[in-house]
Amino acid sequence: MTAPVTVVTFEHRAGITVVDAVPGQNLMTLAVRAGVPGVRAECGGSAACATCHMYVDEDYLASVAEPDATEDEMLDEAWEPRRPNSRLGCQVEVVADTAQIAVVVAEGAA
Ligand code: FES
């Protein structure tokens, strides 16, 4: 039996990339593996660089934990403007029973 797939849509400076995801995968890793431009992930996912800054679908954010203190601090350091739905992609995992997640990559976002 296969786990239900979550469809994650990344909007970025070059267009749209759509990937299938399973629970437990984080948004940064999904983006990097798919070659999404603008997600440099320089620290490798340890919430220490903010180069995976993304604007995440607010409906989805209601179903995941709030940023911890480390992520919150890094979001303040991000190059791009911080918005209410700003998150570090490496700190946001796909949770079960989610059909879709829409994400805008912060780098290059209008
Ligand atoms: S990859 Fe560095 S903060 Fe997410």
Side-chain angles (χ1 to χ4, degrees):
M1 192 169 133
T2 54
V5 165
T6 301
V7 176
V8 183
T9 303
F10 293 98
E11 184 180 328
H12 49 79
R13 63 178 183 251
I16 300 281
T17 300
V18 180
V19 302
D20 290 344
V22 295
Q25 292 183 301
N26 71 61
L27 298 177
M28 175 278 282
T29 301
L30 289 165
V32 169
R33 285 186 184 156
V36 171
V39 183
R40 299 194 312 279
E42 289 173 0
C43 77
S46 55
C49 72
T51 61
C52 65
H53 183 196
M54 301 176 178
Y55 304 121
V56 181
D57 177 1
E58 296 195 29
D59 288 341
Y60 181 66
L61 288 183
S63 64
V64 299
E66 299 272 319
D68 65 14
T70 301
E71 182 181 357
D72 188 60
E73 196 171 305
M74 283 312 304
L75 287 167
D76 282 342
E77 301 293 321
W79 178 257
E80 306 86 2
R82 182 171 181 172
R83 299 177 182 168
N85 63 338
S86 283
R87 294 297 304 262
L88 299 179
C90 64
Q91 303 301 303
V92 179
E93 292 187 348
V94 173
V95 297
D97 301 322
T98 303
Q100 302 181 53
I101 307 171
V103 179
V104 176
V105 176
E107 184 181 285

